[in-house]
Every structure is written in structure tokens, then in C-alpha cells.
Amino acid sequence: MGWEVKARTVTDSDFPGTSVVTLFTPEPTAGVYIDEGLIEFMRRYGYPDTNGRPDRINFGGIYRANAGAHARTGLRLVLDGYESGGSKYSPSGAIRLLDQDDKEAMSWSFAKLIDHWKTKHAAAAYVPAQQLVVPERRYRYGKNILVGEGAEFGLFLAGVQEGRVYYDPGIKLEAYSTAKPVPKKRSQFRVSSKHIPNLYVSSRVVDACEEAGQV
């Protein structure tokens, strides 16, 4: 019915507190990642698995605007084409990851992101979700639902500029030394749940059980 419903993982669904939420997972639209392919990107910017799993390289870490280069990858996040403190942005702008030579490793054009953002987040509901895995996998959902409406793209860009919204990939390349390495794509932009209201024109917390009883 036009709503994006997202679970946010918490330790207690009755008292959810704050948690990290994945907003969306858009693939890059330009850079080495696109021009030369994922495998070449990983060979250039990836690093050996930090848990010692053999023949695997990863591309991870947290990338925030104006935060400098990541220690393992050497890449930094740059917001290009946004006027800080306002709602103006260039149609040709992009979120970019640049290396030490200012070569574009990957980027997301505003033109592509804006459609993705407004389609998925025009109206969104964030549900606290608790997971137990023993003795079997079970789920429990809280009744206090954060709902946001009015997905202005400028608010998203402001979140990126101020470091509240950040890029947190989980990309890997297994069987790295073989003729057919196995890649796994996982690009994601994330935010702390306490900053979610800043991304919408209006937001509120709804008691789902109470409102359901009034229908």
C-alpha cells in the first residue's frame, strides 16, 4: 500500500533503544567498480580477511563525508554537488569514493539515488525486531513503530554531509587466487535509528496495537 516496512534489529523489542539501520543498498553507478569490474576493484582496494579465512579479500569499513581516508582501503567519501546547509544540489552530483590519487573507485550519481530514495522512502515504517537463535530461530516485534513521511532527497544528502548517514559495505571475493574467484556484492548506506526522523519531512511513533484496536 505504498509503505516501505523495515525491521531494525534490537536486543529488547519492548525497550528498543537505538540501533543501526540499513536504509538502502544501491549498487555504484561509476568508477573502477563499474569501468573495470568488481574483481579488479577488489584486487586494487580490497584487503585480506581480518579473521584469517584463507584465499579471501574483503572491502568493508565505515566511510563518512569529511572523515579522511579509511586505513585499510585508502579510500575517502566525498559528497560532490551538494550545497552544505541547504536543500540545493546539482543534478550531475554524486557520492564518490576517491583514492589517494583522486581516482574514482566507485560513485553513486544523484540522478540514480534520488529515484531509489523517493521510491523506497516516500513513506517508511521502522519496526523494532528481536531475534533469538537458540533453541530455534524465533522473532519478536515491538509495537512502537517509527513512521516517516516525505522523503526529500536534500534531507538525505544533509545526513551524508553531516556524517549521520554513512557507507558501510560488506563486499568480499572468495577463491581469490583461482581462475574463477567468487564475488559477493553488498553496498549499503546506514544510519543510527536516532537520526531517522531527520531524513523525513514529518515523523512520529505509532503504537501499532493501540491503533489496530481502534479500527
Side-chain angles (χ1 to χ4, degrees):
M1 299 177 68
W3 284 82
E4 172 80 3
V5 180
K6 300 181 70 67
R8 65 180 189 93
T9 303
V10 297
T11 56
D12 187 334
S13 56
D14 290 329
F15 303 95
T18 59
S19 63
V20 173
V21 176
T22 299
L23 292 172
F24 60 163
T25 57
E27 278 291 287
T29 55
V32 172
Y33 186 97
I34 296 298
D35 298 336
E36 301 182 41
L38 173 58
I39 292 176
E40 177 57 30
F41 171 87
M42 292 295 285
R43 286 175 173 161
R44 190 175 301 187
Y45 302 114
Y47 52 85
D49 183 76
T50 55
N51 291 321
R53 284 168 286 200
D55 213 18
R56 167 172 160 167
I57 55 175
N58 297 335
F59 180 78
I62 291 177
Y63 301 81
R64 300 180 192 267
N66 308 310
H70 189 277
R72 289 197 180 98
T73 67
L75 300 183
R76 68 188 190 281
L77 190 147
V78 174
L79 186 57
D80 183 14
Y82 171 71
E83 186 176 308
S84 181
S87 59
K88 295 181 179 180
Y89 50 88
S90 169
S92 61
I95 298 174
R96 309 183 192 278
L97 285 188
L98 305 179
D99 66 17
Q100 60 184 1
D101 298 318
D102 287 337
K103 184 175 182 63
E104 187 176 82
M106 55 168 56
S107 69
W108 297 261
S109 69
F110 289 175
K112 293 292 184 180
L113 284 178
I114 190 170
D115 289 338
H116 197 154
W117 177 252
K118 286 192 172 183
T119 298
K120 289 183 69 67
H121 290 269
Y126 297 85
V127 183
Q130 184 178 351
Q131 179 184 190
L132 298 177
V133 295
V134 291
E136 60 186 9
R137 191 176 298 275
R138 293 176 292 165
Y139 299 92
R140 186 169 184 262
Y141 300 95
K143 65 177 183 175
N144 293 318
I145 314 301
L146 174 62
V147 298
E149 296 177 272
E152 293 292 337
F153 189 58
L155 295 177
F156 169 77
L157 293 180
V160 175
Q161 176 67 25
E162 294 166 12
R164 296 192 301 262
V165 176
Y166 53 92
Y167 180 56
D168 183 13
I171 304 172
K172 65 180 180 179
L173 190 62
E174 297 179 311
Y176 169 66
S177 64
T178 69
K180 294 183 178 180
V182 180
K184 180 180 179 181
K185 300 177 180 180
R186 187 184 171 196
S187 283
Q188 54 188 9
F189 286 89
R190 311 186 83 189
V191 67
S192 169
S193 60
K194 67 182 178 181
H195 296 311
I196 289 175
N198 300 107
L199 300 175
Y200 297 93
V201 173
S202 65
S203 65
R204 67 190 190 279
V205 175
V206 173
D207 184 327
C209 295
E210 180 177 315
E211 295 209 1
Q214 296 174 354
V215 174

